[in-house]
Amino acid sequence: MSGTFVGMPAFPEAAREAVGDRTLRANLRHATHTIRAKRAAAVAEVSDWAQLREAGKRIKDHTLRRLDHYLVQLEEAVTAAGGTVHWAADADEANRIVAALVKETGESDLVKVKSMATQEIGLNEALEAEGIRAYETDLAELIVQLGRDRPSHILVPAIHRNRGEIRDIFAREMSAWGRPAPEGLTDTPAELAEAARLHLREKFLRAKVGISGANFMVAETGTLVVVESEGNGRMCLTLPETLISVVGIEKIVPTWRDLEVFLQTLPRSSTAERMNPYTSTWTGTTDGDGPRTFHLVLLDNGRTDTLADEVGRQALRCIRCSACLNVCPVYERAGGHAYGSVYPGPIGAILSPQLRGTGSEIDASLPYASSLCGACYEVCPVAIDIPEVLVHLRERVVQGGPVTREGNKVVVKPAKGHAAERAAMRAARWAFGRPGALRAGQRLASRTRGLHPRTLPGPGRAWSASRDLPAVPAEPFRDWWQRTNGGTADGTSGEGAAK
Amino acid sequence: MRVALFLTCVNDTLYPDTGRAVVKLLTRLGVEVDFPMAQTCCGQAHYNTGYRHEAEPLARHFSDVFAEYEAIVTPSGSCGAMVRELYPRMGERARAEGRGDTLAATLAPVVPKTYELTEFLVDVLRVTDVGAYYPHKVTYHPTCHGLRGLGLGDRPRRLLRAVAGLELVELPGADECCGFGGTFALKNSDVSAAMGADKVRNAESTGAEVLCAADNSCLMHIGGTMTRLESGMRPVHIAEILASTKEGPAS
């Protein structure tokens, strides 16, 4: 299992399997439609939602514009509070830093609270290679880990699993990782939660090292913030002697006051709650309370390159609420795994090809994994215009162009496999630039309409595999317009004249 | 009032009945309709597939053809959104690329005076009862670019409710995309087909005879799915319903 999902096939191929899997489709449909309706209700309760959304967008944009300033401020504040800051340019560097910090403690087991950044860099696999075992403690992450699976949702990584599947995973796998599942475990939510609680409690009480992510970092005081529903995160943050937090550099906000906006928009957008059950904050180390040692690993891994792109940089506003996944009709059918990344759904379709580049087959296909319906933009609490970025990235895929990679300006070539499409687009543009050519084409289609096949050859087969073609009319509109003098000659209607 | 009909290349080529319906409807409401023969395509398919540079000359051509008119009316939420929402953005991008304001200046005149048909009826002509007669049970699918791009809101439903004889039934999951999405239908055909099938099943659950929308591209996808699934429902463009009268019923 690789956290970065490298070597994935293109999205359409990866999605095909999910589309045909009835259980998966039913699980996803049930879960996304439930949370979708709840989110809409939770958002409708807030009279100033539009202003909160705008405020969140502006705070993030302001912070991103002055990211260098706020990161330095954060480093100073964390250091002053007794923590140590490490800077990681990419996944390898971050993994090396974390592995070295864990080895210093002499421990070979540790607990983790859900952190997308560590999933993004494949930290668990990197630690395993060093003989260190990381236990996931978020309930959904635990299910994914025990099932030797991959996360398929930002907020609910095991969204693709139903209760029966979870019961089977617990009964089968828990014993290999620690305390086994109770005998005769059923699939009632209370029993499943209790089994997880007992299994995890043992881990929390033994662990000397904890690894976390963070939803926010407050620059003015060097404080990190995690919001969660279960309280497992709070256990990870407070019980171990050493705490290592791995956080993407875009998670920073300037002040505590800025948090006020996101602590309203994040829970309502993600879990449809007015307030999340647990909000934990930690600042360096404190005598007699919490971890004795605190490390903050600041992760770039493509973020400053993304920041250099003036259209695409808005993806860095993302607060990982997952509202866009829950409304996306493509995500609902394709499932999270098809996106080949820890960031699935619409936000993943714009974030992954920016963080990783559009070089691989999967990353070149992700900008097309959308019908551009715009539902994702509508629900985004920080107003990321995801369709705009998708189209921008499609342009990069088919035309190539200047991008920033590892801080250097480079020109990328168009992705492979678009030559025929490019030629067709050019030909269409040529014809559309000449009304006469368009008209000749229309007439040809009309005159040969008796000969048109019901199924199409070549790329058109993708259409006719599941849909019938419309019949070509005997006469295109413009010929009718001219023949009838704008509809006046045959008496139907119209006073306009052909021009 | 004299308006230009921007029919769109898809309607012109494949759905001339929609164009005839728009002419009939607007003429009945006292509007003088012109169809500039030089019109071709707004460039949406190019733009949305990533060929912005190929879309630019088409946008310029559109502006050249339509700039002189008082209003431009189109029976397509998606082509309407292309002009209103994305032409300004094309101008901004050209400027950001150091190509000056020429493109923006060329496109600017057509942007505010381009209207989707139902928007033109309700906002400009200020009419919701267009005197139509259509004795059928109908469900309405608000297409994505009309719904979210142009913000058509309840305008189409208000027009449909005023049609004599028409029984309007709500479509479950109406706001969900039908799965067309232009080249998406080809590039991600499995997902697109699954979305289309769900849309058709939702439409069937209403017991309506007709699914209507304000975009023939989406209707082409939904209608093609309907016949393949042997659903028995028909896709009809809203213009054809609004143009239908007792004397001249829509087929």
Side-chain angles (χ1 to χ4, degrees):
Chain A
M1 184 174 89
S2 159
T4 42
F5 295 33
V6 285
M8 281 278 299
F11 182 83
E13 291 159 53
R16 190 169 300 132
E17 200 179 324
V19 169
D21 182 339
R22 282 170 168 274
T23 308
L24 177 66
R25 285 271 302 276
N27 293 351
L28 283 170
R29 183 177 170 79
H30 176 73
T32 57
H33 281 247
T34 306
I35 188 86
R36 189 186 298 185
K38 282 189 183 169
R39 187 213 69 95
V43 165
E45 281 182 349
V46 184
S47 59
D48 60 347
W49 186 259
Q51 289 97 312
L52 281 171
R53 187 177 188 241
E54 181 64 21
K57 174 187 171 182
R58 287 191 187 192
I59 291 166
K60 281 284 184 179
D61 280 351
H62 164 84
T63 313
L64 289 169
R65 266 198 304 277
R66 303 201 60 202
L67 196 58
D68 51 348
H69 165 79
Y70 288 118
L71 284 169
V72 169
Q73 191 188 0
L74 177 85
E75 180 179 34
E76 285 166 2
V78 170
T79 308
T84 311
V85 175
H86 309 261
W87 298 82
D90 57 23
D92 285 347
E93 190 174 8
N95 288 334
R96 272 202 307 276
I97 291 168
V98 176
L101 289 171
V102 177
K103 281 185 178 171
E104 265 175 43
T105 67
E107 294 293 315
S108 57
D109 283 356
L110 56 87
V111 288
K112 271 181 73 193
V113 57
K114 184 162 72 168
S115 155
M116 304 207 72
T118 63
Q119 289 277 4
E120 175 188 323
I121 60 178
L123 178 65
N124 288 7
E125 293 77 10
L127 290 176
E128 207 177 305
E130 302 279 341
I132 301 163
R133 200 172 212 195
Y135 295 105
E136 295 292 347
T137 66
D138 173 89
L139 178 55
E141 292 279 3
L142 173 72
I143 295 164
V144 168
Q145 187 175 49
L146 293 178
R148 297 184 184 84
D149 202 350
R150 285 167 168 170
S152 68
H153 190 278
I154 286 176
L155 185 79
V156 202
I159 195 170
H160 55 295
R161 298 291 199 184
N162 61 31
R163 282 193 272 138
E165 291 174 295
I166 293 166
R167 191 216 75 91
D168 294 345
I169 291 169
F170 279 9
R172 196 177 62 230
E173 302 290 343
M174 270 183 172
S175 59
W177 291 79
R179 181 174 173 143
E183 285 289 319
L185 179 68
T186 74
D187 68 354
T188 59
E191 277 195 40
L192 293 174
E194 182 63 8
R197 199 182 74 83
L198 294 170
H199 180 82
L200 287 171
R201 188 59 53 118
E202 195 187 42
K203 298 274 174 3
F204 289 133
L205 294 174
R206 281 188 189 172
K208 298 277 192 291
V209 180
I211 293 183
S212 86
N215 292 91
F216 304 100
M217 303 185 286
V218 184
E220 64 176 351
T221 54
T223 303
L224 277 71
V225 183
V226 152
V227 297
E228 43 143 359
S229 298
E230 298 165 6
N232 297 344
R234 183 164 292 180
M235 306 276 260
C236 280
L237 297 168
T238 49
L239 291 172
E241 289 168 10
T242 300
L243 174 62
I244 304 165
S245 299
V246 184
V247 189
I249 53 173
E250 84 285 13
K251 292 291 180 79
I252 198 164
V253 293
T255 68
W256 278 78
R257 215 184 138 176
D258 300 316
L259 275 182
E260 178 250 355
V261 171
F262 301 112
L263 293 182
Q264 292 185 72
T265 52
L266 178 55
R268 284 181 197 264
S269 300
S270 57
T271 47
E273 289 169 306
R274 291 171 180 152
M275 190 179 170
N276 48 280
Y278 292 86
T279 302
S280 303
T281 68
W282 64 105
T283 313
T285 55
T286 308
D287 283 340
D289 185 22
R292 313 291 353 108
T293 314
F294 171 62
H295 295 276
L296 170 60
V297 181
L298 290 169
L299 177 71
D300 186 318
N301 207 31
R303 285 161 175 78
T304 51
D305 291 341
T306 303
L307 193 57
D309 186 289
E310 48 182 279
V311 178
R313 66 173 63 138
Q314 57 187 305
L316 296 177
R317 280 189 218 137
C318 178
I319 56 172
R320 312 282 190 263
C321 73
S322 73
C324 63
L325 278 61
N326 298 326
V327 294
C328 179
V330 177
Y331 175 85
E332 185 189 323
R333 273 100 188 163
H337 292 155
Y339 293 83
S341 152
V342 64
Y343 307 113
I347 186 65
I350 61 169
L351 201 52
S352 303
Q354 293 201 86
L355 295 179
R356 306 191 298 211
T358 47
S360 74
E361 209 177 301
I362 179 77
D363 287 318
S365 71
L366 285 176
Y368 294 94
S370 166
S371 64
L372 304 180
C373 83
C376 49
Y377 178 32
E378 194 174 58
V379 297
C380 178
V382 284
I384 302 169
D385 192 340
I386 294 175
E388 180 188 23
V389 182
L390 287 166
V391 170
H392 174 69
L393 294 173
R394 289 176 184 190
E395 202 177 310
R396 181 171 305 164
V397 169
V398 298
Q399 297 190 333
V403 295
T404 305
R405 280 280 150 238
E406 290 168 14
N408 302 311
K409 292 231 182 263
V410 294
V411 175
V412 293
K413 287 183 190 154
K416 284 177 190 144
H418 290 266
E421 177 188 273
R422 197 175 304 118
M425 286 289 175
R426 283 201 183 132
R429 194 259 292 154
W430 184 89
F432 286 137
R434 289 157 186 79
L438 171 64
R439 194 168 187 188
Q442 287 174 331
R443 283 186 173 160
L444 182 67
S446 286
R447 290 202 187 124
T448 57
R449 68 199 191 109
L451 308 172
H452 293 176
R454 272 180 57 85
T455 54
L456 291 170
R461 200 177 294 130
W463 178 277
S464 51
S466 55
R467 290 148 291 206
D468 287 329
L469 288 163
V472 175
E475 184 181 47
F477 177 86
R478 66 181 65 222
D479 284 2
W480 170 83
W481 178 270
Q482 202 160 48
R483 180 173 60 76
T484 63
N485 194 22
T488 54
D490 71 354
T492 48
S493 64
E495 288 152 17
K499 204 181 159 209
Chain B
M1 185 174 198
R2 180 165 166 265
V3 305
L5 169 60
F6 166 48
L7 188 57
T8 83
C9 53
V10 168
N11 290 328
D12 182 9
T13 310
L14 292 172
Y15 300 96
D17 288 350
T18 298
R20 287 200 282 270
V22 177
V23 174
K24 180 178 165 186
L25 171 66
L26 291 179
T27 306
R28 191 169 81 216
L29 296 169
V31 177
E32 192 186 328
V33 183
D34 195 2
F35 179 82
M37 290 293 274
Q39 67 177 276
T40 54
C41 166
C42 63
Q44 187 189 187
H46 292 80
Y47 185 90
N48 279 347
T49 312
Y51 297 88
R52 177 166 55 93
H53 293 285
E54 303 286 338
E56 284 183 5
L58 297 175
R60 272 201 207 92
H61 179 75
F62 180 95
S63 293
D64 291 346
V65 171
F66 288 103
E68 61 167 297
Y69 290 92
E70 201 179 335
I72 303 148
V73 179
T74 181
S76 163
S78 128
C79 302
M82 175 68 193
V83 176
R84 283 246 302 277
E85 198 188 4
L86 301 179
Y87 278 14
R89 195 169 285 168
M90 286 168 81
E92 283 164 30
R93 291 292 299 147
R95 193 181 299 146
E97 287 168 353
R99 290 189 282 134
D101 288 339
T102 327
L103 185 67
T106 308
L107 304 185
V110 293
V111 173
K113 56 189 184 183
T114 299
Y115 299 92
E116 185 276 334
L117 176 66
T118 64
E119 201 179 37
F120 180 76
L121 296 171
V122 174
D123 295 358
V124 182
L125 298 185
R126 303 201 169 276
V127 52
T128 46
D129 185 347
V130 296
Y133 175 75
Y134 193 76
H136 299 285
K137 193 171 176 179
V138 175
T139 193
Y140 172 72
H141 167 60
T143 60
C144 299
H145 292 175
L147 181 73
R148 300 191 191 90
L150 291 175
L152 294 182
D154 68 344
R155 291 176 184 84
R157 284 189 182 88
R158 278 158 66 196
L159 290 159
L160 289 169
R161 275 192 215 107
V163 173
L166 186 148
E167 186 194 345
L168 184 64
V169 284
E170 273 305 308
L171 174 65
D175 292 1
E176 290 167 32
C177 177
C178 71
F180 174 61
T183 45
F184 174 78
L186 300 175
K187 287 178 182 282
N188 279 285
S189 60
D190 294 292
V191 176
S192 165
M195 289 162 71
D198 287 349
K199 181 60 74 179
V200 170
R201 279 183 205 114
N202 279 338
E204 283 171 343
S205 76
T206 66
E209 305 150 59
V210 165
L211 177 138
C212 114
D215 245 307
N216 273 330
S217 309
C218 308
L219 287 172
M220 177 171 74
H221 166 73
I222 296 170
T225 306
M226 280 174 172
T227 53
R228 186 62 61 89
L229 297 176
E230 299 176 347
S231 102
M233 283 186 80
R234 287 183 294 134
V236 177
H237 193 285
I238 192 170
E240 291 167 48
I241 292 176
L242 299 177
S244 174
T245 56
K246 267 186 183 157
E247 298 72 35
S251 53

